[in-house]
Amino acid sequence: MPDNQIIQGFSKFSKDERIGFLSSRYGFSGETRDLLISMQAASPDIQKIIEELSENTVSNYHLPFSVAPNVVVNGQVKTFPMATEESSVVAALSKAAGFWAKHGGFHAEVLGTEKKGQVHFTWPGQPEKLQAAFPEIRKTLLAESRAITAKMEQRGGGARSIELKYLPDILPGYYQLDCSFETCNAMGANFINTCLEQFAQSLQNQFMVSPVFSGTERECQILMAILSNYTPKSRARARVECPDDALDSPSGEKQVAEKMVQAIHIAKNDVSRAVTHNKGIFNGIDALAIATGNDFRAIEACGHAWAARNGQYASLTDARIDNGVFRMEIDLALAVGVVGGVTAIHPLAKLAMQILGNPSAHELMMYLAVAGLASNFSSVKALVSGGIQRGHMKMHLSNILKQLTVPEKIRPLVINYFRDKTVSYSDVEDFVKTILNA
Amino acid sequence: MPDNQIIQGFSKFSKDERIGFLSSRYGFSGETRDLLISMQAASPDIQKIIEELSENTVSNYHLPFSVAPNVVVNGQVKTFPMATEESSVVAALSKAAGFWAKHGGFHAEVLGTEKKGQVHFTWPGQPEKLQAAFPEIRKTLLAESRAITAKMEQRGGGARSIELKYLPDILPGYYQLDCSFETCNAMGANFINTCLEQFAQSLQNQFMVSPVFSGTERECQILMAILSNYTPKSRARARVECPDDALDSPSGEKQVAEKMVQAIHIAKNDVSRAVTHNKGIFNGIDALAIATGNDFRAIEACGHAWAARNGQYASLTDARIDNGVFRMEIDLALAVGVVGGVTAIHPLAKLAMQILGNPSAHELMMYLAVAGLASNFSSVKALVSGGIQRGHMKMHLSNILKQLTVPEKIRPLVINYFRDKTVSYSDVEDFVKTILNA
């Protein structure tokens, strides 16, 4: 098949047909087809679960599934399950965990769990009239959503509030229903979206039937009804503290705490530094989120927008020294669920939850904040203590050796040679060639 | 082993010992231990590659590996490999691809590929003196990094510029070397960090040896030398256009293009909407980034900070209607690599690159921008065309059926019953019980 042609009916193809299409268009060898098959789960039942999570599947993409032990959170010793392709992320979190286990551990708390959604609409009447009528409309909206919210209310959740916002600077006659929800242990996306679509329906009805309105006032245009992943009132905080000299290394590295405070202060005031600083925070958060089947795009989007809440994108962590005590903390807006979704279906996500002690959504929010703080602590400490390249270079060399498929027996020679040298792909390649031709 | 005790020497444990620790601490059944083993790659060589990417590994976490065909980019028909756990992401991208294939496809371009890094330092002298001496210092820094940059320069890259920034508002006597690099097809993290650490070393030497300085001026304190993931001058843009009525559905949905323009305008002006809007963009981008072995945390951090560049977090896409023509585009800051790293090691990342036609870093930047634009187009279109819940509810029901392990033969009954009802876990559970007890 010529490779610049549209393929018709692909979404109806079986997995074999999809692989057949790829093979013919991209000239797959038999080995490549075998690879796609061999990466699937050994158990057909599990394979079915994995591939039904998405569409047009042809194989499974494996991430290493790791654990970081000794994470002391509020006095409990936890093992964090992590899924990440990036080297050093698990090692960095484990190292931070080990250090803080000796200094009282991580202290974490949840500052709120309010989730948000919006109904966006335009309406041609006088805003004062709608504002006056809104208290009654709100009652009707909440009443007409009872069938949807009843079960969630039994679990202690539900629709919490509906505010009317008039925002004519954005669009003429534009309003929002700004709604808040409590969804307990669920991420609650389906619950919130269903509520919002019901609110939108009820709102349209109210404009139609209420005696307050007439003429063109009876017509409102619903633009969208959708949850917001920005949850500034769903937040977790984690903090650590220790004597400032506890961070100095026995081998002579001094004033590490002071340098860390300076480095974090820079990340609070310089965007270029803040981005990489926070990227390192999400290294840990995302690895735990993926392992537990949570949607890391939602966590990232919320967290980064939260980092920009004061008009300049800035560090999510803060640090200071008070009377010889080093204190560091993270304050993170995020929303997660522990029932439903991938968490309840994916066999390794279920296992990750078991390793964590089947936490509530509250607890998982705290663990994610801890994962972020721990990752950041290790990166910043390494950065101000002589750079991260020494550690990274070791990993980099190891990756290059794999890439060049250097025979196991000559690897020690190469590693030894590059012990005090800068590692680059081409230098390693040259050196390996020299040895192999010697 | 009591589960509130620190485990010593874990990083030296073999994989079997790690699994043994988890089993004893968390009471794993034999089945759970078998699960960890069974999720590993069938080929021992491949398993070794996967588990050596990270540390403390105990198994592999599988994401569905999917393909979205018919993505027309600058006239070429591409198949996008995607790895995501979220339902509808691949379907949404495929649907957008199919639509735009009939309307000229996606037009994409790279607006720059400059990468950044910073050396952060404090120095006690007069800033004017350093500024005057800096042109000579810069020459020395560049000269002394030649050994590191030579190979990259042969490939057309290298260290491009070093600017001195004096930022006393952040810290007393605080300066940055603000450095830019071109790393061609590599992500270049190791190259950039090695250059920066060399710059830092050379800078310290200059303060020591230059006849310009004396006394305390000889002492500068290097705080950090590290790349920045914020790359506002490494950018890709993708756009589409079609007659505005082409978006209306034959069944009667009208003015879809106008509503999409309004919805995107709201996402440009309302943070709560912008976060979810951009989250949907990264659904597509991350799925392609993961499949090709790229670091999605770096892409997310850069992209979200870019979304906040004007002081308010806002939509990454824009849309308008000009004389009956609907136009939509994404403008994204991002940096990726196609040589080295996970891309060159992970067997499915290598295969993903093969499916994409082994693109250059330039081309992959464009494909990532297209993945973001395509995902956003589908979400916004669905949102303004009667809500996304209908489609989502079908997926939600399917997940609940799996979770409740509802027998295949009664699934059609359940699906039929909920066709016109709101789906919730408890309602489905109740209904299934009723049938099974009938």
Side-chain angles (χ1 to χ4, degrees):
Chain A
M1 174 182 283
D3 68 354
N4 213 29
Q5 194 178 305
I6 298 298
I7 175 91
Q8 304 288 346
F10 189 80
S11 65
K12 306 260 184 295
F13 280 18
S14 69
K15 186 163 64 178
D16 283 351
E17 288 168 330
R18 292 193 288 269
I19 295 175
F21 159 74
L22 293 175
S23 301
S24 102
R25 178 161 292 190
Y26 301 108
F28 283 0
S29 62
E31 211 178 322
T32 301
R33 283 194 302 273
D34 292 348
L35 172 67
L36 287 173
I37 306 297
S38 81
M39 299 303 278
Q40 301 184 22
S43 146
D45 289 346
I46 292 177
Q47 181 55 27
K48 196 157 181 287
I49 291 169
I50 310 273
E51 66 190 34
E52 285 183 357
L53 293 175
S54 184
E55 305 84 34
N56 295 358
T57 54
V58 293
S59 187
N60 297 2
Y61 192 93
H62 294 218
L63 296 172
F65 183 78
S66 305
V67 290
N70 300 332
V71 191
V72 179
V73 185
N74 298 339
Q76 300 288 310
V77 181
K78 292 288 167 185
T79 302
F80 278 10
M82 301 175 78
T84 181
E85 89 297 344
E86 186 174 345
S87 67
S88 306
V89 169
V90 175
L93 195 142
S94 301
K95 206 169 169 189
F99 177 85
W100 287 108
K102 296 188 200 106
H103 296 279
F106 295 87
H107 309 279
E109 62 187 320
V110 168
L111 302 176
T113 56
E114 182 185 293
K115 293 180 184 171
K116 303 285 298 186
Q118 299 168 306
V119 177
H120 305 261
F121 66 100
T122 55
W123 182 70
Q126 287 301 315
E128 299 74 20
K129 192 164 180 182
L130 182 51
Q131 265 141 9
F134 192 69
E136 278 306 307
I137 293 177
R138 172 173 24 217
K139 277 185 207 159
T140 309
L141 265 49
L142 289 170
E144 291 183 354
S145 68
R146 282 283 177 276
I148 300 167
T149 59
K151 291 270 166 83
M152 187 61 90
E153 278 166 17
Q154 282 170 20
R155 297 202 294 274
R160 285 286 184 261
S161 71
I162 308 178
E163 301 303 325
L164 178 71
K165 285 188 178 175
Y166 175 50
L167 300 162
D169 289 347
I170 297 182
L171 288 174
Y174 167 60
Y175 297 82
Q176 289 176 1
L177 299 184
D178 183 46
C179 310
S180 73
F181 301 87
E182 173 54 53
T183 61
C184 308
N185 274 324
M187 181 66 193
N190 283 302
F191 170 74
I192 293 174
N193 285 333
T194 305
C195 282
L196 292 168
E197 292 191 4
Q198 179 61 55
F199 293 164
Q201 186 61 57
S202 296
L203 181 69
Q204 269 185 316
N205 292 345
Q206 283 305 297
F207 284 118
M208 293 295 287
V209 302
S210 166
V212 178
F213 303 116
S214 62
T216 57
E217 291 171 353
R218 296 223 171 272
E219 282 165 38
C220 94
Q221 172 161 320
I222 303 291
L223 206 54
M224 305 177 274
I226 180 81
L227 75 85
S228 171
N229 293 108
Y230 190 52
T231 55
K233 291 186 181 167
S234 181
R235 268 164 63 205
R237 187 157 60 188
R239 61 187 175 79
V240 286
E241 60 177 56
C242 71
D244 60 356
D245 57 4
L247 295 175
D248 295 342
S249 78
S251 58
E253 194 73 49
K254 292 293 173 218
Q255 295 195 299
V256 172
E258 286 83 344
K259 287 186 205 162
M260 287 184 72
V261 170
Q262 287 183 326
I264 293 169
H265 184 70
I266 292 170
K268 291 194 79 74
N269 289 280
D270 179 88
V271 174
S272 292
R273 179 67 210 124
V275 167
T276 306
H277 182 93
N278 288 346
K279 185 272 185 203
I281 290 175
F282 284 101
N283 277 345
I285 292 176
D286 288 358
L288 179 54
I290 293 175
T292 57
N294 273 281
D295 179 342
F296 62 85
R297 279 87 56 207
I299 295 173
E300 289 255 5
C302 181
H304 289 293
W306 175 247
R309 67 193 176 282
N310 295 325
Q312 184 182 321
Y313 184 90
S315 167
L316 289 164
T317 56
D318 207 345
R320 64 186 189 280
I321 297 171
D322 298 327
N323 298 319
V325 178
F326 169 80
R327 296 182 208 275
M328 183 168 171
E329 70 169 45
I330 187 168
D331 180 342
L332 189 68
L334 84 168
V336 295
V338 295
V339 298
V342 176
T343 308
I345 299 173
H346 195 295
L348 276 206
K350 288 199 271 190
L351 180 56
M353 289 297 288
Q354 184 188 342
I355 292 171
L356 279 175
N358 290 312
S360 65
H362 260 67
E363 289 166 327
L364 185 57
M365 284 169 72
M366 294 195 278
Y367 299 156
L368 288 160
V370 166
L373 179 58
S375 300
N376 189 237
F377 170 78
S378 281
S379 325
V380 175
K381 187 165 183 288
L383 266 180
V384 301
S385 320
I388 56 166
Q389 272 314 86
R390 216 171 312 140
H392 270 192
M393 273 298 165
K394 260 200 272 179
M395 294 306 309
H396 186 44
L397 178 56
S398 151
N399 284 344
I400 294 171
L401 292 173
K402 275 177 260 173
Q403 233 177 297
L404 292 170
T405 59
V406 175
E408 289 283 355
K409 62 179 181 189
I410 73 159
R411 289 189 184 196
L413 279 174
V414 184
I415 291 167
N416 196 45
Y417 176 80
F418 281 96
R419 202 171 292 280
D420 57 351
K421 294 183 183 60
T422 298
V423 176
S424 81
Y425 187 91
S426 45
D427 287 350
V428 177
E429 192 174 26
D430 290 350
F431 182 71
V432 168
K433 272 188 201 148
T434 313
I435 299 182
L436 291 178
N437 299 334
Chain B
M1 172 180 284
D3 68 355
N4 214 30
Q5 198 178 303
I6 299 297
I7 175 91
Q8 304 288 347
F10 189 81
S11 65
K12 306 260 185 295
F13 281 16
S14 70
K15 186 163 66 179
D16 282 351
E17 289 169 329
R18 292 194 287 269
I19 294 175
F21 160 74
L22 292 175
S23 301
S24 101
R25 178 160 290 192
Y26 301 106
F28 283 180
S29 61
E31 210 177 323
T32 301
R33 284 195 300 277
D34 292 348
L35 172 66
L36 287 173
I37 307 297
S38 81
M39 300 303 280
Q40 299 183 25
S43 145
D45 290 345
I46 292 178
Q47 181 55 27
K48 196 156 182 289
I49 291 169
I50 309 274
E51 66 190 36
E52 285 183 358
L53 293 175
S54 184
E55 306 84 34
N56 294 359
T57 54
V58 292
S59 188
N60 298 0
Y61 192 92
H62 294 217
L63 296 172
F65 183 79
S66 306
V67 289
N70 299 334
V71 192
V72 179
V73 184
N74 297 340
Q76 298 288 310
V77 180
K78 290 288 167 185
T79 302
F80 277 12
M82 302 176 77
T84 180
E85 89 297 345
E86 185 174 346
S87 65
S88 307
V89 170
V90 175
L93 195 141
S94 301
K95 208 170 165 185
F99 177 85
W100 288 109
K102 296 188 199 106
H103 295 280
F106 296 87
H107 309 278
E109 62 188 321
V110 168
L111 302 177
T113 55
E114 182 186 292
K115 292 180 184 171
K116 303 286 296 186
Q118 300 169 305
V119 177
H120 305 262
F121 67 100
T122 54
W123 182 69
Q126 287 303 314
E128 298 74 21
K129 191 164 181 181
L130 182 50
Q131 266 141 8
F134 193 69
E136 278 307 306
I137 294 179
R138 176 180 10 224
K139 277 185 207 159
T140 309
L141 265 50
L142 289 170
E144 291 182 358
S145 67
R146 283 282 178 276
I148 300 166
T149 58
K151 291 270 165 86
M152 187 63 89
E153 279 167 16
Q154 281 169 21
R155 297 202 293 276
R160 285 287 183 261
S161 71
I162 307 178
E163 301 303 325
L164 178 72
K165 285 187 179 178
Y166 175 49
L167 299 161
D169 290 347
I170 297 182
L171 289 174
Y174 167 59
Y175 297 81
Q176 289 176 0
L177 299 184
D178 183 46
C179 311
S180 73
F181 301 88
E182 172 56 52
T183 61
C184 307
N185 274 324
M187 182 65 193
N190 283 302
F191 169 74
I192 293 174
N193 285 332
T194 304
C195 282
L196 292 168
E197 292 190 3
Q198 179 60 53
F199 292 164
Q201 188 60 57
S202 297
L203 180 69
Q204 269 186 317
N205 292 347
Q206 284 306 298
F207 284 117
M208 294 294 287
V209 302
S210 164
V212 180
F213 305 115
S214 63
T216 57
E217 291 172 351
R218 297 225 170 271
E219 281 165 38
C220 91
Q221 173 162 319
I222 303 290
L223 207 54
M224 307 175 273
I226 180 82
L227 75 87
S228 170
N229 293 110
Y230 190 50
T231 54
K233 291 188 182 167
S234 181
R235 268 163 65 206
R237 188 156 60 187
R239 59 185 175 79
V240 286
E241 60 177 56
C242 71
D244 59 357
D245 58 3
L247 296 174
D248 295 341
S249 79
S251 58
E253 194 73 50
K254 293 292 170 216
Q255 297 195 296
V256 172
E258 286 85 343
K259 288 185 203 165
M260 288 184 71
V261 170
Q262 287 184 326
I264 291 168
H265 185 71
I266 292 170
K268 290 196 79 76
N269 289 280
D270 179 87
V271 174
S272 293
R273 180 67 211 121
V275 168
T276 306
H277 182 93
N278 287 347
K279 185 271 186 207
I281 290 174
F282 284 102
N283 277 343
I285 291 175
D286 288 357
L288 178 55
I290 294 175
T292 56
N294 273 281
D295 178 342
F296 63 85
R297 280 88 55 210
I299 295 173
E300 288 255 6
C302 181
H304 289 293
W306 175 246
R309 68 193 177 280
N310 294 325
Q312 182 183 322
Y313 183 88
S315 166
L316 289 164
T317 55
D318 208 343
R320 65 184 190 281
I321 298 172
D322 298 328
N323 297 321
V325 177
F326 170 80
R327 299 181 206 275
M328 183 168 172
E329 69 169 45
I330 188 169
D331 178 343
L332 189 69
L334 84 168
V336 296
V338 295
V339 297
V342 176
T343 307
I345 299 172
H346 195 297
L348 275 206
K350 287 199 270 190
L351 180 54
M353 289 297 287
Q354 185 187 342
I355 292 172
L356 279 174
N358 292 312
S360 66
H362 260 68
E363 288 165 327
L364 185 57
M365 285 170 73
M366 293 195 278
Y367 298 156
L368 288 160
V370 166
L373 179 59
S375 301
N376 188 238
F377 170 78
S378 281
S379 324
V380 176
K381 186 164 183 289
L383 266 178
V384 301
S385 322
I388 56 164
Q389 272 314 85
R390 217 171 310 142
H392 270 191
M393 273 297 162
K394 262 200 274 180
M395 293 306 307
H396 187 42
L397 179 57
S398 149
N399 283 344
I400 293 172
L401 291 173
K402 274 178 258 174
Q403 235 176 298
L404 291 170
T405 59
V406 174
E408 289 281 356
K409 62 180 179 185
I410 74 159
R411 289 188 183 197
L413 279 172
V414 185
I415 291 167
N416 196 44
Y417 176 79
F418 281 95
R419 200 170 294 278
D420 57 352
K421 294 183 184 58
T422 299
V423 175
S424 82
Y425 187 91
S426 45
D427 288 349
V428 176
E429 191 173 27
D430 291 350
F431 181 72
V432 168
K433 273 188 199 148
T434 313
I435 298 181
L436 292 178
N437 298 332

